[in-house]
């Protein structure tokens, strides 16, 4: 099903079931997105802060070259995730009073998905780094693979539920 038709079906359903205008639906979507961003922003900001302190720890010098690379990639992913998840607030400020609610919700939705995806990748990097450092590189790869499977499994499960609901 194309996204335009899906969006129209969603708007029609909202009007019938909720008696919402398009603006009311967009306001509700924006508020829901803000609530989700508040939850995930706290976690990603704590993760980023933690990662930024690691080089100043005494044992950081014990990391192998591969672990340093994993660390740097993980920091880059975490910082990118932070930027993506904070960006909707800045965009809201830029578009404030321009009556661009549709564009704001659409762009913020995409940024949130990208931010959550990069956060997942950063968390996988953290798992890889910690298990590699504490146990062994092989255990690190296994733990990271389990984290990937969990993330994909949870996200695919949501899509399966969506498919069931649409039928």
């Amino acid at each position: 099903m194309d996204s335009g038709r899906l969006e129209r079906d969603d708007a029609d359903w909202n009007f019938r079931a909720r008696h919402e205008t398009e603006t009311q639906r967009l306001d509700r979507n924006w508020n829901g997105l803000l609530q989700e961003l508040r939850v995930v922003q706290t976690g990603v900001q704590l993760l980023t802060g933690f990662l930024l302190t690691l080089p100043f720890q005494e044992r950081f010098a014990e990391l192998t070259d591969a672990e340093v690379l994993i660390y740097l990639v993980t920091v880059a992913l975490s910082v990118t995730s932070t930027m993506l998840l904070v960006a909707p607030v800045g965009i809201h400020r830029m578009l404030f009073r321009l009556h661009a609610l549709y564009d704001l919700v659409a762009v913020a939705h995409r940024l949130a998905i990208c931010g959550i995806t990069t956060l997942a990748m950063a968390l996988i990097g953290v798992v890889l780094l910690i298990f590699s450092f504490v146990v062994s590189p092989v255990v690190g790869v296994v733990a990271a693979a389990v984290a990937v499977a969990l993330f994909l499994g949870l996200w695919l499960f949501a899509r399966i539920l969506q498919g069931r609901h649409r039928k």
Side-chain angles (χ1 to χ4, degrees):
M1 180 181 288
D2 71 86
S3 62
R5 181 170 172 217
L6 186 61
E7 192 173 319
R8 284 188 304 279
D9 289 348
D10 184 52
D12 291 344
W13 181 89
N14 277 299
F15 183 76
R16 286 190 317 274
R18 297 174 189 243
H19 308 292
E20 288 180 318
T21 65
E22 179 71 10
T23 302
Q24 289 169 326
R25 182 180 67 84
L26 289 169
D27 283 340
R28 181 177 49 78
N29 288 343
W30 173 245
N31 286 325
L33 182 61
L34 281 179
Q35 293 302 322
E36 294 165 7
L37 289 173
R38 283 185 184 109
V39 170
V40 76
Q41 279 175 351
T42 302
V44 74
Q45 288 169 345
L46 286 171
L47 174 64
T48 302
F50 164 74
L51 287 169
L52 293 176
T53 66
L54 286 183
F56 303 102
Q57 304 303 312
E58 193 174 310
R59 291 193 63 198
F60 190 82
E62 297 175 30
L63 293 178
T64 66
D65 288 345
E67 289 168 337
V68 170
L69 178 61
I70 294 166
Y71 167 76
L72 292 173
V73 169
T74 301
V75 168
L77 288 166
S78 188
V79 168
T80 300
S81 180
T82 301
M83 291 177 188
L84 290 166
L85 293 168
V86 172
V89 176
I91 293 169
H92 178 261
R93 285 292 94 203
M94 300 294 286
L95 297 177
F96 187 65
R97 294 193 176 153
L98 296 179
H99 309 287
L101 190 55
Y102 177 85
D103 295 324
L104 172 66
V105 171
V107 169
H109 166 73
R110 288 182 190 94
L111 288 169
I113 289 172
C114 291
I116 291 167
T117 301
T118 54
L119 173 59
M121 292 165 49
L123 289 170
I124 291 163
V126 166
V127 168
L128 176 60
L129 180 62
I130 290 173
F131 278 80
S132 292
F133 184 77
V134 173
V135 184
S136 75
V138 172
V139 173
V141 169
V142 170
V146 169
V148 169
L150 282 170
F151 280 117
L152 290 176
L154 290 169
W155 290 345
L156 291 173
F157 180 71
R159 293 299 289 187
I160 290 167
L161 286 178
Q162 178 190 21
R164 285 181 158 181
H165 178 71
R166 292 268 181 214
K167 290 181 181 179

